[in-house]
Amino acid sequence: MSESKRIYTGPSLIAKGLVARLNEIGISPIERNDHESSLKAGFTMSIANQTMVFIRDDEMEKAKSTIEEYLKEIGDH
């Protein structure tokens, strides 16, 4: 089983756009929003509207240019 790497942490809307771009090239990232999860569990200890995006290490090479291009387009890189 491959390890995963966090490639983005930031606003949920931007994370969704990045996930969509990665889906277009055949990569299915994992999204994690600790704030939303903590609200469902009855406690909040995280920053609202922050989503982390992870991909498998073995997908990094394929995803690198797409990630960089997207972040440059939105002005986050």
Side-chain angles (χ1 to χ4, degrees):
M1 188 159 132
S2 295
E3 295 292 317
S4 63
K5 178 176 183 149
R6 182 171 36 162
I7 57 167
Y8 181 77
T9 300
S12 297
L13 188 59
I14 293 173
K16 295 279 186 199
L18 179 56
V19 167
R21 288 280 181 95
L22 292 168
N23 285 333
E24 289 174 3
I25 62 168
I27 296 174
S28 298
I30 298 166
E31 296 175 69
R32 192 173 102 193
N33 183 324
D34 290 342
H35 182 74
E36 191 173 302
S37 296
S38 65
L39 284 175
K40 289 177 184 176
F43 60 90
T44 57
M45 295 182 61
S46 61
I47 300 171
N49 195 34
Q50 293 291 298
T51 298
M52 292 177 273
V53 179
F54 298 83
I55 61 171
R56 292 190 332 247
D57 286 341
D58 62 347
E59 296 175 318
M60 192 60 194
E61 190 64 36
K62 181 179 179 182
K64 188 175 181 179
S65 63
T66 300
I67 296 165
E68 289 174 355
E69 181 181 311
Y70 179 74
L71 295 177
K72 188 175 181 181
E73 284 177 17
I74 63 163
D76 195 349
H77 188 71

